[in-house]
Amino acid sequence: NFPVEIVEDYKFLVGDPLPVAHEKVRVNDYTKSAYSTLRIGDRMWKDVNVDLTLGVNGGYTKNYLNQLHFTQDAILALDRNINRVRRSGGFDSTLKLRTPGFENHDIVGGWNGSSQVVNERSISVDREASSDGIATNIANDQITRSVVSRLALFVQDDWRFQKTSSVSLGLRWEAVRVETEGNQLLPGQFSANVWSPIVQTLWQLPQLNPDNTDRIRIGVARSYNAPTNFQLVNPGFKLVNNSIENPNDLANPRLRPE
């Protein structure tokens, strides 16, 4: 929770100079978080192994940012103050069921699931100096909320063709659902899903390492990479020297998974 001070100077070698040539930034962050996990491993129905994990998490972040922007003539052009409060919470769960099949085969199935809620409020006040020396205060209050939920179901056949090596073949279904809203955003909601083959093989190499720790793993699968909360609903942040190298930050609630 100690403040950090950053000083930046800009040198304009090509083209017209940008409005700000010197910045003084002061940042103060306060963060606390908690996470708890419960894991249950047991045998059910004679020969079915169960591995269940349940987790919950929560976080709170308070951020204060002060930016002083100066022109090339060392004149204060903008005094910006931003206060942000971010609250998050969610849960995650995994389940794996394993039962013997025929000969050296095991049938494995289960799920992976999670959901994360993020609420954020950002209050910024810009004090701009005009050519006549009169300062203008511009305030902006942004409130955002996002919920990103995932669920994946899978089933596969694990075949141990050697004592230390195996092959896994199966199928996985994964879905993601995103909900976003804010006082300066249009509400957004979408969901998508994908089927993926599970193809994986593992060779352990005891002949090269007596401790049997060397291994080669090869696999093929498809998966979703859901947008982050920052990309979806992060309160907009405008930079004085907006450029290709130093662009404004603007969230897009219509982003889709990759």
Side-chain angles (χ1 to χ4, degrees):
N1 194 28
F2 296 99
V4 177
E5 294 187 357
I6 303 170
V7 176
E8 293 186 350
D9 292 298
Y10 297 92
K11 303 294 183 182
F12 308 107
L13 304 179
V14 178
D16 296 332
L18 295 173
V20 172
H22 181 74
E23 288 184 351
K24 291 183 179 179
V25 181
R26 182 183 176 91
V27 182
N28 198 338
D29 285 317
Y30 172 76
T31 301
K32 59 181 180 180
S33 61
Y35 185 83
S36 179
T37 302
L38 172 65
R39 183 171 182 178
I40 301 173
D42 201 354
R43 183 184 295 272
M44 299 175 62
W45 305 302
K46 270 172 115 175
D47 52 4
V48 177
N49 291 320
V50 178
D51 190 351
L52 174 64
T53 302
L54 301 172
V56 293
N57 66 81
Y60 173 83
T61 300
K62 188 175 182 179
N63 171 272
Y64 170 74
L65 175 70
N66 172 247
Q67 294 178 317
L68 299 177
H69 303 82
F70 298 88
T71 66
Q72 294 188 82
D73 301 325
I75 299 174
L76 180 62
L78 175 65
D79 180 357
R80 169 174 288 169
N81 293 278
I82 301 176
N83 284 282
R84 286 188 177 185
V85 175
R86 185 178 188 268
R87 295 179 174 86
S88 63
F91 70 91
D92 58 84
S93 174
T94 63
L95 172 68
K96 179 180 286 188
L97 302 173
R98 178 183 293 271
T99 185
F102 57 94
E103 295 184 357
N104 295 324
H105 292 258
D106 285 345
I107 305 302
V108 182
W111 74 60
N112 296 297
S114 66
S115 183
Q116 192 74 17
V117 181
V118 178
N119 293 280
E120 186 166 347
R121 183 173 188 180
S122 174
I123 301 175
S124 64
V125 178
D126 289 354
R127 185 175 176 84
E128 298 180 344
S130 59
S131 57
D132 55 11
I134 300 176
T136 302
N137 290 332
I138 302 175
N140 187 20
D141 187 358
Q142 299 183 68
I143 300 173
T144 61
R145 181 178 187 272
S146 70
V147 182
V148 178
S149 303
R150 297 171 175 269
L151 176 63
L153 306 174
F154 69 94
V155 62
Q156 65 191 52
D157 176 14
D158 289 351
W159 173 38
R160 297 182 304 279
F161 60 89
Q162 292 181 1
K163 183 177 179 181
T164 57
S165 302
S166 63
V167 172
S168 297
L169 299 173
L171 190 63
R172 176 184 176 92
W173 175 82
E174 184 173 355
V176 61
R177 179 179 175 85
V178 176
E179 300 174 60
T180 59
E181 61 180 329
N183 64 337
Q184 297 186 27
L185 295 172
L186 292 175
Q189 184 179 107
F190 71 87
S191 59
N193 62 82
V194 62
W195 288 94
S196 170
I198 299 174
V199 181
Q200 180 175 277
T201 181
L202 172 66
W203 287 281
Q204 295 184 349
L205 308 173
Q207 64 273 22
L208 300 180
N209 186 341
D211 295 329
N212 198 25
T213 57
D214 291 334
R215 60 193 64 193
I216 298 176
R217 186 188 300 271
I218 301 174
V220 177
R222 298 174 64 199
S223 182
Y224 267 139
N225 182 21
T228 64
N229 179 75
F230 183 88
Q231 296 171 316
L232 290 169
V233 293
N234 181 60
F237 188 75
K238 295 182 179 180
L239 298 175
V240 177
N241 283 348
N242 180 36
S243 62
I244 295 177
E245 296 80 12
N246 204 27
N248 293 338
D249 289 329
L250 182 62
N252 181 3
R254 297 182 180 274
L255 281 178
R256 296 296 184 263
E258 297 179 352

